[in-house]
Amino acid sequence: MSLSVPLLTPYFPKYAEEDKEESLHALLSGEVSAIFGGSQPYLQANEEWPRCKTCQHHLIPYLQVNISSTKTPEEFRQRLPPLSPEGATLFQIFICAEETDAGFCFEAWTMHVMEGESWLVRRVHLDPNAEGVDEESEAHDAARAALDEEGQLIPERVIVEWTPGRQETEHEAANEDLNFDDAYYEAHEPADGLKLLGYPIRGKYYYGTSDPYGNCVAGDEGPHFDWRCLVQLGTRDDDNPIYTTGNIFVNQCVQHPDVLEAACSGDW
């Protein structure tokens, strides 16, 4: 085995056994950790529904995580500082599910087939006395109805909390110089599916959206490849309506934690 690759702990979703009424309120209160899919992203009443900068189509809510909730792993929460002691801070991922000749717009953009920006990833904070959570918006209702009619919305699943999995090592396809003992690798091989942290499943090919070479270009240090996996999106799961050719995950630059990229890797 290689002692130069640290073992990382991934966290896997524990879904609510039954549909939860007013799931957005449960998310904002911290009663649950996250919402996967659905049609009720937190948006302010006067805020436009997010649109794709590649094809101008409405984005779909993919994952919303309350990073103020103790139901969310502390290790993940510390990856997205600062954490306010009051109110709630959400980490939201929206993606474009519009079909193109190259597959889903989000995947095509991630793989550099289309130019633009086919997602929205952000932190949004709500003060304890935040108003407007229940306010209706005709524009939001229209966008939601259009996405539903097109069959692009993912059925909502409420994630009550995340459970730690077995520790993982880097995927063997990520580095040809890795020389793992077979038994060691089998015990620590990265898992597939939706997860927080850990190592992503990799393949022969790799694309990142930061620059054509997959580097982070923030700061004065020059281009650097110093990424860690923040979220593996689970787009290779058979039951995920957003099924992609490669494994897509969200990377975070270790040197510049505010810099995130979508990355796609596989053996197509």
Side-chain angles (χ1 to χ4, degrees):
M1 66 180 184
S2 173
L3 299 179
S4 62
V5 179
L7 293 174
L8 302 180
T9 301
Y11 296 86
F12 298 93
K14 179 181 179 181
Y15 295 105
E17 295 181 358
E18 299 179 355
D19 294 339
K20 185 174 286 291
E21 295 183 4
E22 299 186 352
S23 56
L24 183 58
H25 280 273
L27 176 68
L28 297 178
S29 70
E31 177 186 347
V32 301
S33 171
I35 297 175
F36 175 72
S39 62
Q40 299 289 336
Y42 170 73
L43 297 171
Q44 295 182 342
N46 60 353
E47 180 182 5
E48 292 186 3
W49 190 285
R51 283 187 178 271
C52 175
K53 295 180 182 179
T54 301
C55 70
Q56 307 309 312
H57 196 271
H58 288 110
L59 301 178
I60 65 168
Y62 192 86
L63 184 66
Q64 302 180 85
V65 182
N66 185 337
I67 55 177
S68 299
S69 172
T70 56
K71 298 284 188 177
T72 301
E74 179 67 18
E75 186 179 359
F76 182 80
R77 298 169 65 198
Q78 294 302 323
R79 291 281 191 268
L80 296 165
L83 295 176
S84 174
E86 299 182 347
T89 301
L90 300 184
F91 176 67
Q92 295 180 303
I93 302 175
F94 298 81
I95 67 171
C96 184
E98 181 73 353
E99 289 275 7
T100 73
D101 292 339
F104 289 111
C105 181
F106 174 59
E107 180 181 21
W109 165 68
T110 303
M111 295 176 65
H112 298 192
V113 177
M114 300 176 65
E115 296 182 356
E117 189 171 5
S118 301
W119 75 345
L120 171 65
V121 178
R122 69 178 186 177
R123 286 167 39 112
V124 57
H125 183 74
L126 289 79
D127 293 326
N129 58 350
E131 299 178 353
V133 175
D134 291 319
E135 289 186 17
E136 296 184 359
S137 166
E138 292 184 2
H140 293 173
D141 290 342
R144 189 179 294 112
L147 288 168
D148 186 45
E149 183 177 353
E150 294 168 351
Q152 294 189 3
L153 292 171
I154 299 173
E156 180 181 279
R157 300 188 71 182
V158 173
I159 299 172
V160 178
E161 60 186 356
W162 304 78
T163 57
R166 66 178 185 178
Q167 288 191 307
E168 298 178 339
T169 189
E170 192 168 17
H171 195 274
E172 59 185 356
N175 190 335
E176 295 180 353
D177 295 330
L178 295 177
N179 185 24
F180 292 120
D181 174 83
D182 289 345
Y184 178 85
Y185 187 74
E186 183 177 351
H188 299 291
E189 182 178 3
D192 58 7
L194 176 65
K195 65 183 180 183
L196 306 179
L197 307 179
Y199 287 98
I201 291 180
R202 292 280 297 270
K204 178 180 178 181
Y205 302 103
Y206 176 93
Y207 295 90
T209 56
S210 292
D211 81 349
Y213 303 100
N215 294 311
C216 176
V217 295
D220 300 325
E221 303 88 350
H224 49 281
F225 192 91
D226 193 10
W227 302 105
R228 60 189 173 199
C229 179
L230 194 63
V231 185
Q232 182 171 267
L233 297 183
T235 56
R236 292 285 294 168
D237 289 354
D238 291 337
D239 60 351
N240 191 336
I242 309 299
Y243 187 82
T244 57
T245 302
N247 183 43
I248 299 182
F249 43 97
V250 179
N251 270 338
Q252 180 184 47
C253 179
V254 175
Q255 299 180 36
H256 307 94
D258 289 337
V259 177
L260 305 176
E261 71 160 8
C264 181
S265 186
D267 293 319
W268 53 85

